[in-house]
Amino acid sequence: MQTEVKMKNLICIEHLKKYFSVKRGLFSSSKYVRAVDNISFDIPKNSTFGLVGESGSGKTTIGRTILRLIEPTSGVIRYLLTDITSINKRELCIFRRKMQIVSQDPYNSLHPRKLVKNIIGEGLKIHFHLSSEEIYKRVKDILEQVGLREEHMFRYPHEFSGGQRQRIAVARALVLKPEFLVLDEPTSSLDVSVQAVILKMLKELKRDFSLTYLFITHDLAIIDYMADYMAVMYLGQIVEIGTKDDIFLTPAHPYTLLLLNSIPYPDPKKKKKKVIPKGEIPSPIDPPPGCRFHTRCPYTKNICLEVEPEISEISDKHFVKCHFPVS
């Protein structure tokens, strides 16, 4: 039964940690930035899992660690039933075909001196050793699927707009026919009108390619449009996790409430009271004792200052890391 449940999930994360060593001086001892600190969650097949939180909360580190672009400090990352933290480089190369990333800045992620056909076709050469004719056809087909034309194969990245560059980045990721895609704020550098077009395209590609997404963003409105499940991160930890509908309709963590309150109304005549958290996010090098959010939480009590809360289930598949969940 447990195996059947795991097979329904494409990605399973168990007690994942990623610490970065920091030295403050020649004679001082090393300290660690706790970028990701003991998190666990599952991503079901063919779903979009949203990861939200402030800048510096550890969202991008999770995405890059899952792909083993950076190595985890400890923990388990399972792709179906395979623990990819323990496989060697040769075996990892096979999983690289199945897991791809689309970065936040399409200009910096594309080689400025390579033609688009070479940027997209490079992965095909490495992984499949196809002929030039086969690569040409695959690149042409994938460009058309992301809304570009054959003639675009013979241009350089600087000749495109931001939205077109992001389409190229998506095409490069999809040409290997992956099953899992990490989307690291893929629309944050684009104009609002272009964002809408790219998000719609990503939804259609997910359906056409039977993809599973990890969608990293700080924009809850995008999560509302894209995600099936979501997790809220604060200072390297997940503070709330569940279906998108559960968290949007019945948020249980004070931090989630504050994030949802920050979403602007589309009607300019409607006004709501702004609730701004006090202080600033603490340093991940020296996080506060007890609940990490207690320094900014409007509902802090004595136990929050000393005892770290356990993550507990408050309803079916809806979990929160708080001593006093908001009802």
Side-chain angles (χ1 to χ4, degrees):
M1 183 68 181
Q2 191 175 5
T3 302
E4 287 179 11
V5 172
K6 287 184 177 181
M7 286 298 287
K8 291 179 182 178
N9 298 316
L10 187 69
I11 303 291
C12 296
I13 310 297
E14 298 175 10
H15 306 293
L16 183 65
K17 294 183 181 181
K18 179 57 188 177
Y19 294 174
F20 295 97
S21 178
V22 176
K23 260 201 167 182
R24 291 183 169 176
L26 185 62
F27 300 105
S28 62
S29 59
S30 293
K31 292 201 170 185
Y32 295 92
V33 175
R34 300 180 185 183
V36 176
D37 199 5
N38 195 26
I39 66 162
S40 301
F41 64 93
D42 301 329
I43 305 177
K45 287 181 184 178
N46 304 125
S47 69
T48 297
F49 189 98
L51 204 55
V52 300
E54 293 172 278
S55 295
S57 59
K59 306 185 300 295
T60 296
T61 303
I62 286 178
R64 295 178 68 82
T65 305
I66 290 173
L67 301 181
R68 276 190 62 182
L69 296 175
I70 53 178
E71 294 295 327
T73 302
S74 65
V76 175
I77 303 166
R78 286 194 175 90
Y79 185 98
L80 294 177
L81 297 178
T82 302
D83 178 6
I84 63 172
T85 57
S86 61
I87 60 178
N88 59 40
K89 288 185 178 180
R90 187 172 180 178
E91 293 171 314
L92 183 60
C93 186
I94 297 171
F95 281 92
R96 293 273 187 237
R97 306 170 194 170
K98 301 178 181 181
M99 306 186 296
Q100 291 291 305
I101 185 169
V102 177
S103 301
Q104 179 177 354
D105 185 354
Y107 190 77
N108 287 329
S109 69
L110 302 176
H111 198 298
R113 295 184 181 180
K114 285 188 176 182
L115 293 171
V116 168
K117 71 180 183 70
N118 295 327
I119 291 172
I120 298 174
E122 186 174 11
L124 295 172
K125 281 185 179 178
I126 294 170
H127 290 284
F128 298 109
H129 309 291
L130 301 178
S131 67
S132 299
E133 292 77 15
E134 289 173 309
I135 290 174
Y136 186 95
K137 185 180 183 304
R138 290 275 289 270
V139 172
K140 173 179 169 290
D141 290 344
I142 199 67
L143 279 175
E144 289 173 352
Q145 286 182 289
V146 300
L148 297 174
R149 300 187 301 274
E150 183 178 0
E151 64 196 64
H152 291 136
M153 294 171 64
F154 305 98
R155 296 183 188 176
Y156 293 94
H158 71 269
E159 299 179 74
F160 295 92
S161 67
Q164 288 175 319
R165 283 198 289 266
Q166 198 60 290
R167 289 174 187 269
I168 294 166
V170 171
R172 178 179 59 182
L174 292 182
V175 76
L176 295 177
K177 297 184 179 179
E179 296 175 323
F180 176 64
L181 224 59
V182 174
L183 301 170
D184 187 5
E185 305 209 36
T187 60
S188 62
S189 62
L190 306 176
D191 294 338
V192 175
S193 59
V194 180
Q195 282 188 19
V197 175
I198 297 296
L199 290 173
K200 183 174 182 292
M201 179 193 75
L202 289 170
K203 266 200 162 185
E204 291 170 352
L205 291 170
K206 176 180 176 291
R207 179 196 63 215
D208 296 342
F209 285 81
S210 299
L211 294 167
T212 303
Y213 287 160
L214 174 62
F215 201 109
I216 298 168
T217 183
H218 59 272
D219 191 332
L220 283 164
I222 291 178
I223 289 296
D224 190 23
Y225 176 69
M226 291 291 296
D228 304 301
Y229 305 90
M230 65 179 288
V232 180
M233 286 199 69
Y234 183 79
L235 206 63
Q237 294 185 336
I238 288 176
V239 296
E240 189 165 359
I241 186 169
T243 67
K244 177 202 63 180
D245 291 338
D246 280 344
I247 294 179
F248 271 79
L249 296 175
T250 57
H253 197 280
Y255 180 61
T256 307
L257 279 173
L258 291 168
L259 287 180
L260 290 171
N261 185 265
S262 69
I263 302 174
Y265 283 131
D267 185 352
K269 293 180 182 178
K270 270 192 172 182
K271 292 187 178 180
K272 64 179 178 179
K273 184 180 177 182
K274 289 185 178 180
V275 181
I276 301 173
K278 60 186 179 181
E280 294 191 8
I281 188 168
S283 169
I285 296 177
D286 189 20
C291 174
R292 294 191 178 183
F293 189 58
H294 83 255
T295 58
R296 306 173 74 192
C297 181
Y299 310 108
T300 299
K301 297 184 181 180
N302 287 337
I303 191 173
C304 306
L305 309 181
E306 300 171 357
V307 181
E308 182 176 349
E310 297 288 335
I311 191 157
S312 56
E313 189 171 13
I314 56 172
S315 64
D316 185 36
K317 298 180 181 179
H318 186 183
F319 298 83
V320 65
K321 190 179 178 72
C322 183
H323 290 297
F324 305 101
V326 181
S327 57

